[in-house]
Amino acid sequence: MTFTSTTRIPVSGITKHIGALGKAREFGILVALALVVVVATAKNPAFVFSPDGWRDLLLTPSILVLVAVGQAFVIITRNVDLSVGSVMGLSAYLTGRLFIDLPSLPIPVVVLLSVLFGAVLGLINGALVAFAKVPAMVITLGTLYAYRGINVMWAGSTRVNASDMPKDFLAIGTGQILTIPILAIVAFIVLAAAAWYMRNTRGGREYFAIGSDPAAAGLYGLKVTRRVLTAFVLSGALAGLAGVFYAARYGSVSSQAGAGWELDAVGAAVIGGVAITGGVGTVWGAAIGAMLLMTINRALPILGIPDFWQRAVVGVLIIGAIVLDRWLAVRQRRQLIESRDQS
Amino acid sequence: MTTATADTASLNRVARDFEKPLWRRILITRESAIIALLIIVVAYSVLTVRGFGQPITLNYLLLDVAAILLIALPMALIMITGEIDLSVGSMVGLSSIVTGAGVQAGLPFEVAAILALLAGVVGGAFNGFLVTVVGLPSLAVTIGTLALFRGLAVGILGSTAVTDFPEMWTALAKAKIAGTTIPYIMVPFLILLVVLIVVLNFTAFGRGIYAIGLSKDAARFSGVHVERTKFLLFVLAGLVSAFAGIFYTLRFGSARGDNATGLELQVIAAVVLGGVSVFGGRGQLHGVVAAVLLIGVLSSALRLANVTSDVINVITGALLVVSVVSASVLAWLQKTRRRPGRLPHLAASTAP
């Protein structure tokens, strides 16, 4: 009997509803992304159907996807990391500097060092947050300035140029496998791994528990401090990897690389359904939010809207997403109460 | 990290504070520490940094920090209620653009300025509506309006700038009060400061602001209009930001869409440094003003000493981190030194 070989857990109507709603959250934003791509392509087929258009469609969001995934980890634990833009810029500059100062280092070692460096910066954030019991917003606001300042002190007005970096490294930034950019593939693998970890492992689920109610999670015996620390380290490491991507993609890194990205990253996560109050959201959502932000940026001029209006559209999107999120939450709660009253 | 621990912490702090004599309560506060630090930094700068002691330095310093000083006041009140407004920098930009676009369209400057103030009220009301009526978290709402207001500002004028403002007004923005080197912008600032200090400390509305930050539910049961109070504070933040935007425009004689980008973070950094808790319920305006001045004096003195602005950024960031971390290190030290059970009735009532 092949049909009954898997045990089916009985699913009640309520669970189905919640499951559908949970999907709907990311689904809605995915539809919005598809709509933008379809409309822009209808207006100008080169948006997707040209080698450059296709490449940019996948490549442009890759960097922000990484940062947004890291941000999602942190926000789900009911914290926030405002320093990601500075961490990314500093890691990007380190990548360039390593190539200039230690030309004998193999490329993978440089990449690894930059990611580790990002992780260390994240560890500093996490340690300050977890041990000093100070809101993450304040700490990371401080390190936002401090890390950026260190970057400017280190780089001054100089910049790393494409000619300073090995050709093989830059090739990673522009290279494609079966027309799909290498960076996009790496970003997707990282995203899939993060999503799997968040969804299926005990550790991943604990982030949600901590974000829903930190005090209860602590009383229950979860290692809140360690998880919060890990979330910040992950966020820093992903921002570090994003820095490597940045250097490879643009080939030119100034001390201002990644300035202002913190709000894009938080915005991407929020658009993607990660609740700023913690405990709710997926890294897929954050990644789709990041793709939507970056794709809109490219689509606006094609749709005949001057890209000056880009930030306004982004603002409307963020507000729309959180209003929708709130509406869904209220509806879900009402349905749960109704079903409780009926039973 | 949670409201529960914040409540317990603040209750413990209140208990700790009231067993001390009055002079210790006044002297050993975060506000006093910041004021003391400000005095030390000023004295040190006057003595060691060449040119800092000149009266003209004060003029530039106050002009530089005027926008931050103004916006920090409503921001402090919002943060005492436990909310935040990240959109203030964008509102400065939007108000600047509304003024500029108005003048470009042929309106008299005064009318354009009033339109800009109206934009501030509408923008603040929009924030307030989303936070209090729809019930959304203010951090998320104002990240959205940060992008929205900036987008409108940049969208209206594109990359062009309006620079022809009436000479009378641009001169007034930089003018000094006769016989001093204090700019005129300090007059509206001082009026706002005094009004808000009185409101905060001597009216039911002001006490309500602290009550909301300590416990929203308890405040509501005590008859505080939680939603109305928050809504009004967001409107005030929008209005003051718009006013600061007009000043900013006149001072630099230029209305550009990217005016005051990132100002929100400077304001929040100063407010936090000044002793306002991000959890809400705690903070004083004199501490905030001292903190804004401290950052201003530091950057002005360091710049005169030929330190680059990046080093100043590192110092600002480190100052912020050290000041908040040192507070919790001190609290931890006090806790370990103090034998448990010193205040049995409170210890029992706040135990989880």
Side-chain angles (χ1 to χ4, degrees), chain A residues 206-227:
Chain A
E206 285 185 8
Y207 291 102
F208 291 96
I210 291 166
S212 300
D213 193 336
L219 286 175
Y220 186 71
L222 302 188
K223 297 190 169 54
V224 178
T225 307
R226 204 180 76 188
R227 291 277 167 231

Side-chain angles (χ1 to χ4, degrees), chain B residues 2-3 11 35 48 88 123 145 150 166 177 197 203 220 230 238 251 254 270 272 274 284 286 299-300 303 305 333 336:
Chain B
T2 65
T3 46
L11 264 177
I35 292 172
T48 60
V88 288
T145 50
R150 181 65 67 189
I177 298 172
I197 283 182
T203 68
R220 187 171 288 125
K230 283 186 184 173
R251 194 209 158 185
S254 163
V272 171
Q284 286 286 333
H286 62 270
S299 52
S300 157
R303 222 179 299 140
L333 278 179
T336 49

Side-chain angles (χ1 to χ4, degrees), chain A residues 273-341:
Chain A
V274 179
I276 203 88
T277 44
V280 176
T282 63
V283 290
W284 287 112
I288 299 170
M291 290 193 72
L292 183 62
L293 282 187
M294 298 310 260
T295 307
I296 281 190
N297 190 15
R298 285 180 52 238
L300 284 181
I302 290 173
L303 300 176
I305 304 163
D307 58 1
F308 292 124
W309 291 100
Q310 182 228 344
R311 290 208 70 82
V313 175
V314 168
V316 170
L317 258 179
I318 295 177
I319 294 166
I322 52 176
V323 169
L324 179 74
D325 202 52
R326 170 82 182 164
W327 182 70
L328 285 175
V330 168
R331 205 179 71 163
Q332 180 184 343
R333 210 179 115 186
R334 207 170 46 221
Q335 278 175 347
L336 283 172
I337 290 173
E338 271 171 17
S339 60
R340 184 192 63 191
D341 292 347

Side-chain angles (χ1 to χ4, degrees), chain A residues 20-29 271-273 280-281 325 328-329 332:
Chain A
L21 279 172
K23 275 175 204 146
R25 233 172 234 180
E26 281 90 35
F27 189 67
I29 195 77
I271 289 177
V280 176
D325 202 52
L328 285 175
Q332 180 184 343

